[in-house]
Amino acid sequence: MGFFSDFKASLMKGDVLSLATAVVIGGAFGKIVGSAVDDLIMPLVGLITGGIDFTSKFISLNGQSYENLEAAKKAGASVMTYGNFVQAVINFIIIAFFIFVVLRAAEKAKKKEEAAPAAPAGPSQEELLTQIRDLLKK
């Protein structure tokens, strides 16, 4: 087989198609989670924290004081923007909690499906063989 036919065969395997589907659905789910965090949860966090914008928190490493982060950057000062890190940690915790809630609900739904009664099983292979043996004896 040639290179392209091998490549086509590799792409048509079920694992690759499943992975591609998962990536597309994951991207869409990421937008949903991002919107939930940005549009629903972060305004509540802002309300609780009194409207603090963590992304504007910084430490100037040259020892001088600046009015805001943009002024420090315009002056060419080296700054440690610890607020971005705090914001990223808050976002991570919120997103992880949101995904946990969704996965937990999915697991409960899955357990309900599994709990459905199974169809009554017929006789086992050993029972059938025993019945055949008994019939042959007669």
Side-chain angles (χ1 to χ4, degrees), residues 42 45-46 49-58 69 82-84 86-87 90:
M42 286 312 289
V45 171
T49 60
I52 297 174
D53 180 17
F54 289 106
T55 58
S56 65
K57 302 295 181 184
F58 69 98
L69 181 58
Y82 68 90
N84 288 337
V86 171
Q87 186 71 38
I90 291 171

Side-chain angles (χ1 to χ4, degrees), residues 26-130:
F29 185 71
K31 288 182 181 181
I32 291 170
V33 171
S35 175
V37 169
D38 294 340
D39 301 331
L40 302 175
I41 297 171
M42 286 312 289
L44 294 174
V45 171
L47 182 67
I48 292 169
T49 60
I52 297 174
D53 180 17
F54 289 106
T55 58
S56 65
K57 302 295 181 184
F58 69 98
I59 296 172
S60 174
L61 298 178
N62 65 1
Q64 295 181 6
S65 179
Y66 297 96
E67 185 177 323
N68 56 32
L69 181 58
E70 278 199 30
K73 286 185 176 182
K74 279 184 182 178
S78 295
V79 291
M80 185 181 302
T81 54
Y82 68 90
N84 288 337
F85 178 74
V86 171
Q87 186 71 38
V89 170
I90 291 171
N91 286 351
F92 173 77
I93 291 169
I94 292 169
I95 290 169
F97 178 73
F98 189 81
I99 291 173
F100 169 75
V101 168
V102 169
L103 290 178
R104 188 169 182 210
E107 285 295 319
K108 284 186 178 183
K110 190 176 183 180
K111 285 181 184 178
K112 286 182 182 178
E113 285 179 9
E114 291 175 0
S124 70
Q125 186 177 5
E126 291 175 359
E127 292 171 343
L128 289 174
L129 289 174
T130 304

